[in-house]
Amino acid sequence: MDNKTTSRDGTSLAYRVTGEGPVVILVSGAMSTGGTLAPLAERLADRVTAVVYDRRGRGASGDTKPYEVAREVEDLAALLAAVGGEAALFGVSSGGALVLEALADGLPVTRAAVYEVPYADHLAGGAEREAVYKENLNRALAEGRRGDAVELFLRLTGLGEEVIRRARQSPMWPGMEAAAPSLAYDDAVMADGLLPRDRLAAVPVPLLALAGGASPEWMLRACRDIADAVPRGEYRVLEGQTHMVEPDVLGPVLADYLTA
């Protein structure tokens, strides 16, 4: 990351700026850094100024304790101030939930988009699953079992045991274990895992809720619910896409919407 700014509580935030045009801050999801969204930033660079950053507790950014979701909203406020005072926001997965929190809090955002925020309202047993995950995740992290915490998250995303076993043996595993404490941060952002309708009703700016056409039906319904709950919400499906959306497909849609 090329640049740094400081959040309200003194946490150092690392970020990178790519391209020219209206400013868009890209917010990553769980087990991700700003670098995860770098390919999307490059795809947007001919039409916008794309800002990627390492959320607190990841990459080159700091991690002041104790964690609260409000501190991550303050992080976005600091980034907005650093890049000109206002911008559009885009968040993927649980990063989208953080974007929604920032919008409901009234940060100086022009418009926003989110991709597949995994609210579990339409997933059978979703609320119970989220509660069990939260309990087991917090216990694993409290006991220093970072590898077990990563495994819990990977199972939550639907990966099978053989895939998880291979992941443990891969060169990426040490980095995943290092990032494991931040899983609790994303879990806190997702709260009880259900759509925060009252919060979304307070979002004052236009919002595009996107989903992949090849994703599970419960995910598409969650995204449609977001659009319905936000007063100026819009819902769109990217045909053929999954939760791992392709930048070449997502980029033009985002650029068109966020610069309108």
Side-chain angles (χ1 to χ4, degrees):
M1 294 290 167
D2 306 314
N3 307 287
K4 289 201 172 182
T5 191
T6 303
S7 193
R8 182 177 180 180
D9 70 351
T11 302
S12 176
L13 303 172
Y15 68 98
R16 176 170 295 160
V17 180
T18 305
E20 296 182 357
V23 181
V24 179
I25 298 175
L26 309 180
V27 184
S28 63
M31 296 299 294
S32 300
T33 65
T36 307
L37 291 177
L40 177 60
E42 292 292 340
R43 184 63 180 80
L44 293 168
D46 62 337
R47 301 193 47 196
V48 307
T49 298
V51 179
V52 297
Y53 75 106
D54 290 337
R55 290 171 57 188
R56 62 172 57 210
R58 313 167 198 223
S61 289
D63 189 18
T64 305
K65 302 294 173 57
Y67 176 83
E68 293 182 21
V69 175
R71 302 294 82 77
E72 284 219 74
V73 174
E74 291 171 358
D75 294 348
L76 278 171
L79 284 165
L80 285 162
V83 298
E86 69 173 19
L89 295 181
F90 168 71
V92 60
S93 194
S94 53
L98 178 56
V99 165
L100 295 173
E101 284 294 316
L103 297 178
D105 274 2
L107 266 60
V109 177
T110 54
R111 54 178 46 216
V114 296
Y115 186 83
E116 293 200 351
V117 184
Y119 294 124
D121 300 63
H122 301 291
L123 177 64
E128 294 79 6
R129 186 189 75 156
E130 294 295 324
V132 170
Y133 170 73
K134 185 185 296 287
E135 179 181 354
N136 290 338
L137 174 68
N138 289 334
R139 180 184 300 117
L141 291 174
E143 295 173 357
R145 295 184 286 111
R146 292 189 174 191
D148 291 346
V150 176
E151 283 197 13
L152 286 167
F153 172 72
L154 295 180
R155 289 192 187 95
L156 186 74
T157 66
L159 293 185
E161 294 304 314
E162 178 58 25
V163 175
I164 293 173
R165 186 188 67 80
R166 291 200 302 268
R168 265 195 176 272
Q169 297 172 350
S170 75
M172 298 183 299
W173 191 256
M176 296 173 75
E177 286 196 349
S182 69
L183 288 171
Y185 302 174
D186 285 277
D187 183 62
V189 170
M190 292 300 299
D192 62 0
L194 302 178
L195 191 80
R197 296 182 185 277
D198 290 346
R199 293 286 286 163
L200 297 187
V203 172
V205 301
L207 174 83
L208 177 63
L210 292 159
S215 290
E217 177 62 24
W218 68 268
M219 185 75 78
L220 273 70
R221 293 178 67 185
C223 294
R224 188 162 55 240
D225 284 352
I226 292 170
D228 289 343
V230 172
R232 301 168 70 185
E234 180 181 337
Y235 170 64
R236 195 176 307 174
V237 174
L238 302 182
E239 295 301 335
Q241 295 301 297
T242 66
H243 200 61
M244 304 298 290
V245 62
E246 297 174 16
D248 284 346
V249 175
L250 176 60
V253 176
L254 276 185
D256 287 345
Y257 185 79
L258 295 177
T259 61

